[in-house]
């Protein structure tokens, strides 16, 4: 793992562009005791994870929350970040809900703390597929059988009555799913930013499911925030400070996408301003207050339990791997 110290002054930049009020520190933050630790390790995807803007932009806000050592850990893109937090390489993680659920079921000591945003996923297909039920007998591209695209597409297929194991031909494409789709290696794949933004203007394929707009997926969080159980137990005040910074960052993502897109590029988190701006406009960062994090976790855990992906039932997953006290407090404190 390569560790990058984020040294840019986000608050100063925000103030210079007239948005200081959006990222100002609440009076409740000053009334709290200081964080028990001033260090935190957050994930950074090498090459750019455009939908992680809420975590990327939290770095400098954390300095105003009392943190002096904010590190972004750059991980190997061939390894899901659930392995990073499981190996204690990061303190926090932002990941798809089913991946958190699978980690809890496997006994990984994490605590899911809150949802972050909805949307960011599109199931893209060629002209032979008009709807999810048409995937019967078709080829679907995935990285591996334990990577998020396989898990998520399997759940989407099972929800409409397909048997993912027998009705779909899974095609392993270890590199670029979008390029494999363009080359005709498979009929459909799960698009994630920036692949969806790359294909859209080229009019390649069409979307048969959009997790931002299509129920029931649009009614739940797409990505949620977790932390190691050890960090939460040792540093509860710090945990709340970190979540506050992430939520303020999420509010800025929703209210000023051009500013956030520019700073993501300037700070080296992602390479393309245009893709960053499109992603921020597509994703619903304004839903962290409104959606029920426990309901989202229960929804996915039930689907995974029914399909045999996990052994634990939803109640056990929630009891063993969640802690909602911080988000409940912050929803009251950070009212719009």
């Amino acid at each position: 793992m390569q560790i990058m110290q984020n040294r840019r002054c986000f608050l100063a930049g925000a103030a210079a562009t007239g948005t200081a009020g959006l990222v100002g520190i609440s009076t409740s933050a000053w009334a709290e005791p200081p964080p028990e630790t001033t260090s935190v390790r957050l994930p950074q995807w090498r090459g750019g994870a455009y939908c992680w803007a809420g975590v990327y932009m939290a770095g400098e806000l954390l300095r105003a929350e009392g943190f002096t050592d904010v590190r972004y850990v750059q991980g190997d893109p061939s390894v899901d970040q659930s392995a990073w937090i499981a190996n204690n390489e990061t303190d926090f993680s932002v990941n798809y809900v089913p991946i958190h659920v699978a980690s809890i079921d496997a006994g990984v000591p994490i605590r899911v703390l809150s949802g972050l945003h909805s949307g960011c996923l599109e199931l893209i297909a060629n002209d032979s597929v008009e709807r999810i039920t048409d995937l019967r007998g078709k080829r679907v591209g995935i990285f591996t059988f334990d990577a998020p695209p396989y898990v998520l597409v399997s759940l989407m297929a099972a929800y409409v009555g397909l048997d993912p194991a027998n009705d779909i031909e899974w095609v392993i494409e270890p590199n670029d799913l979008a390029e494999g789709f363009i080359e005709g290696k498979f009929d459909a794949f799960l698009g994630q930013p920036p692949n969806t933004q790359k294909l859209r203007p080229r009019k390649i394929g069409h979307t048969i499911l959009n997790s931002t707009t299509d129920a029931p997926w649009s009614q739940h969080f797409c990505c949620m925030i977790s932390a190691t159980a050890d960090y939460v137990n040792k540093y509860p005040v710090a945990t709340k400070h970190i979540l506050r910074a992430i939520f303020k960052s999420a509010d800025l993502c929703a209210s000023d996408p051009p500013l956030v897109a520019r700073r993501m590029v300037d700070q080296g988190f992602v390479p393309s301003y245009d893709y960053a701006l499109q992603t921020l406009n597509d994703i619903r960062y304004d839903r962290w207050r409104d959606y029920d994090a426990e309901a989202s976790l229960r929804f996915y855990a039930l689907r995974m339990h029914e399909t045999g992906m996990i052994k634990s039932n939803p109640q056990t997953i929630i009891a063993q791997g969640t802690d909602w006290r911080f988000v409940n407090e912050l929803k009251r404190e950070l009212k719009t």
Side-chain angles (χ1 to χ4, degrees):
M1 290 283 179
Q2 177 185 356
I3 297 179
M4 180 189 74
Q5 187 78 33
N6 186 343
R7 301 183 184 280
R8 299 210 181 245
C9 185
F10 178 58
L11 287 177
T17 55
T19 60
L22 290 172
V23 295
I25 303 304
S26 63
T27 54
S28 59
W30 297 115
E32 292 172 350
E36 306 92 341
T37 179
T38 56
S39 298
V40 63
R41 298 169 299 167
L42 302 172
Q44 178 183 354
W45 200 266
R46 188 177 303 159
Y50 288 81
C51 58
W52 291 7
V55 172
Y56 289 161
M57 292 298 96
E60 293 304 330
L61 297 177
L62 282 168
R63 300 188 187 285
E65 294 276 356
F67 289 81
T68 58
D69 180 23
V70 180
R71 287 172 285 169
Y72 283 90
V73 178
Q74 294 186 348
D76 182 350
S78 67
V79 178
D80 188 81
Q81 60 154 324
S82 58
W84 311 353
I85 193 168
N87 295 330
N88 197 33
E89 293 162 344
T90 62
D91 301 310
F92 280 72
S93 172
V94 51
N95 213 328
Y96 300 112
V97 185
I99 306 307
H100 289 307
V101 171
S103 293
I104 297 169
D105 183 63
V108 178
I110 62 170
R111 296 291 180 269
V112 178
L113 304 174
S114 172
L116 181 56
H117 62 73
S118 67
C120 93
L121 295 171
E122 294 184 35
L123 189 52
I124 299 172
N126 60 25
D127 291 341
S128 70
V129 180
E130 291 296 329
R131 56 189 64 84
I132 299 179
T133 51
D134 294 338
L135 290 177
R136 180 178 279 109
K138 300 296 183 180
R139 302 164 300 163
V140 176
I142 57 173
F143 295 122
T144 64
F145 282 99
D146 58 358
Y150 172 75
V151 174
L152 287 157
V153 176
S154 293
L155 294 177
M156 293 170 181
Y159 191 79
V160 297
L162 295 181
D163 179 353
N166 297 310
D167 290 341
I168 295 175
E169 179 183 347
W170 302 99
V171 179
I172 301 295
E173 174 55 64
N175 298 315
D176 190 324
L177 290 180
E179 287 302 317
F181 178 72
I182 293 171
E183 295 169 7
K185 294 181 179 179
F186 31 84
D187 303 298
F189 79 104
L190 191 66
Q192 306 155 289
N195 281 335
T196 48
Q197 288 72 25
K198 289 179 180 178
L199 295 182
R200 196 175 298 153
R202 299 170 64 182
K203 301 186 184 303
I204 298 175
H206 63 280
T207 298
I208 62 172
L209 185 149
N210 187 324
S211 66
T212 303
T213 58
D214 296 337
W217 319 99
S218 61
Q219 299 167 334
H220 296 282
F221 285 112
C222 172
C223 293
M224 300 185 79
I225 304 164
S226 68
T228 65
D230 186 59
Y231 196 98
V232 174
N233 293 335
K234 284 184 178 179
Y235 313 126
V237 177
T239 299
K240 184 178 177 181
H241 278 267
I242 292 163
L243 276 182
R244 181 188 288 114
I246 292 174
F247 291 151
K248 284 179 173 290
S249 176
D251 286 343
L252 191 59
C253 290
S255 64
D256 199 341
L259 170 67
V260 173
R262 174 52 56 199
R263 297 204 66 82
M264 286 172 69
V265 174
D266 289 346
Q267 296 184 21
F269 288 115
V270 297
S272 169
Y273 170 82
D274 289 338
Y275 291 151
L277 182 59
Q278 290 178 47
T279 301
L280 287 163
N281 285 328
D282 289 341
I283 289 176
R284 296 299 301 269
Y285 266 107
D286 58 340
R287 287 177 169 166
W288 71 263
R289 288 180 178 83
D290 303 325
Y291 279 16
D292 185 330
E294 183 170 315
S296 293
L297 204 76
R298 182 180 294 108
F299 171 81
Y300 278 101
L302 179 59
R303 307 278 88 73
M304 296 175 74
H305 188 259
E306 290 175 342
T307 57
M309 290 185 179
I310 60 173
K311 295 180 180 179
S312 305
N313 60 41
Q315 292 76 14
T316 300
I317 293 292
I318 291 168
Q320 293 182 349
T322 67
D323 191 335
W324 310 126
R325 55 184 161 153
F326 306 105
V327 66
N328 291 335
E329 291 176 9
L330 289 167
K331 281 183 177 181
R332 293 191 294 267
E333 293 177 16
L334 299 177
K335 292 181 179 179
T336 52

